[in-house]
Amino acid sequence: MKIAVISDIHSNLAALRAVIDDAARTGATAFWCLGDIVGYGPDPHECLALVRERATLCLRGNHDLGAIGVVPLEEFNPYAAAANAWTGRVLLDEERAFLRGLPSMLTWEDVTLAHASPREPVWEYVLSATVAMASFDHFQTRLCFVGHSHVPFICPEPASMRGCAFLQFPEQEPVDLGERRLILNPGSVGQPRDGDPRASYLLYDRDADAARLRRVAYDIAETQRRMGEAGLPRNLADRLAHGR
Ligand code: ZN
């Protein structure tokens, strides 16, 4: 079974559609979503509908919680807060209830999914050796998928802090997952921040026990145009072109 692991869609419909098409071409039969379906972008309803239709496992992230008022907007930077306030105004009650009912972390068979980190699944960024080392003590499975930082990586459990490394996925090459415990981040569908503006997701092949990073070009100008129509902050639209 091939699973498309997606995260941080952020209401970017053009990016999500491109990822869904690419996943179909690569033979994925299921989607796992690590949260932040909404926030930042212009199309929350359509993105929620597509995720609900396809994802067999789904988490909620800090922006989802900000948009429905569970996390106070003061905890976000001003641009993210403005986008979450706009999202909160347009969400339907039924969409709000769906987001409220999602977990921020779950375990399914031999994998853990957490939006941010397994230690603190809503806010903590797994970007440093210290946090990565601590993270391995907070899940019991071999694999843990996290999102939130919008930066794709694979981090094998090291023997010591010095051995802790955030490895990049080789372009187009599947990575053999082997026996090691691993934390994997698929990057962001709707707002990549690793300098590559293409949508990012992971293709997890459970039969081959391998993962492959996919980068998918999408119509960035279309999303920027829709953001302008919605009156979302200009710099949130601009950054999409730079992947930052
Ligand atoms: Zn996010």
Side-chain angles (χ1 to χ4, degrees):
M1 178 168 64
K2 286 184 187 161
I3 298 148
V5 184
I6 60 174
S7 191
D8 298 276
I9 296 150
H10 288 299
S11 299
N12 187 336
L13 180 61
L16 179 58
R17 281 197 178 132
V19 162
I20 288 172
D21 289 349
D22 186 76
R25 278 194 296 276
T26 54
T29 53
F31 284 81
W32 292 350
C33 174
L34 306 180
D36 277 0
I37 304 163
V38 303
Y40 291 128
D43 291 304
H45 310 297
E46 293 80 357
C47 290
L48 277 165
L50 283 172
V51 168
R52 293 172 75 173
E53 189 181 296
R54 281 155 205 273
T56 52
L57 299 177
C58 190
L59 304 178
R60 64 188 188 183
N62 53 315
H63 289 257
D64 301 318
L65 291 169
I68 63 172
V70 174
V71 167
L73 293 181
E74 300 80 71
E75 295 192 25
F76 294 86
N77 73 56
Y79 303 110
N84 282 337
W86 177 86
T87 305
R89 286 197 296 276
V90 301
L91 280 184
L92 307 174
D93 287 346
E94 186 269 333
E95 293 170 331
R96 244 179 265 282
F98 167 75
L99 290 172
R100 192 172 288 118
L102 295 174
S104 288
M105 178 167 166
L106 61 81
T107 301
W108 181 82
E109 296 195 353
D110 56 348
V111 297
T112 299
L113 310 183
H115 173 66
S117 84
R119 179 166 69 175
E120 203 294 288
V122 175
W123 275 110
E124 185 176 56
Y125 291 89
V126 184
L127 284 171
S128 69
T130 316
V131 175
M133 283 298 284
S135 295
F136 281 103
D137 294 334
H138 290 267
F139 66 98
Q140 274 70 53
T141 54
R142 183 173 59 110
L143 303 179
C144 178
F145 292 91
V146 302
H148 189 52
S149 70
H150 300 204
V151 176
F153 67 76
I154 179 164
C155 178
E157 183 173 32
S160 71
M161 191 91 81
R162 285 174 57 134
C164 193
F166 294 89
L167 309 175
Q168 293 197 353
F169 287 90
E171 184 93 14
Q172 301 301 340
E173 287 280 307
V175 175
D176 193 350
L177 300 182
E179 296 300 303
R180 304 161 296 178
R181 295 182 75 219
L182 300 167
I183 301 173
L184 304 104
N185 190 319
S188 168
V189 171
Q191 196 202 74
R193 290 181 193 159
D194 62 343
D196 182 342
R198 294 175 298 169
S200 181
Y201 78 99
L202 265 189
L203 196 63
Y204 169 40
D205 186 333
R206 279 178 69 80
D207 303 317
D209 200 30
R212 182 167 151 203
L213 188 73
R214 300 286 300 168
R215 298 307 288 252
V216 189
Y218 73 95
D219 192 346
I220 293 173
E222 169 64 8
T223 298
Q224 291 172 322
R225 188 186 64 74
R226 297 267 309 133
M227 291 175 80
E229 282 175 2
L232 288 159
R234 176 69 193 269
N235 70 329
L236 294 181
D238 290 344
R239 69 185 295 180
L240 294 176
H242 309 294
R244 292 284 176 205

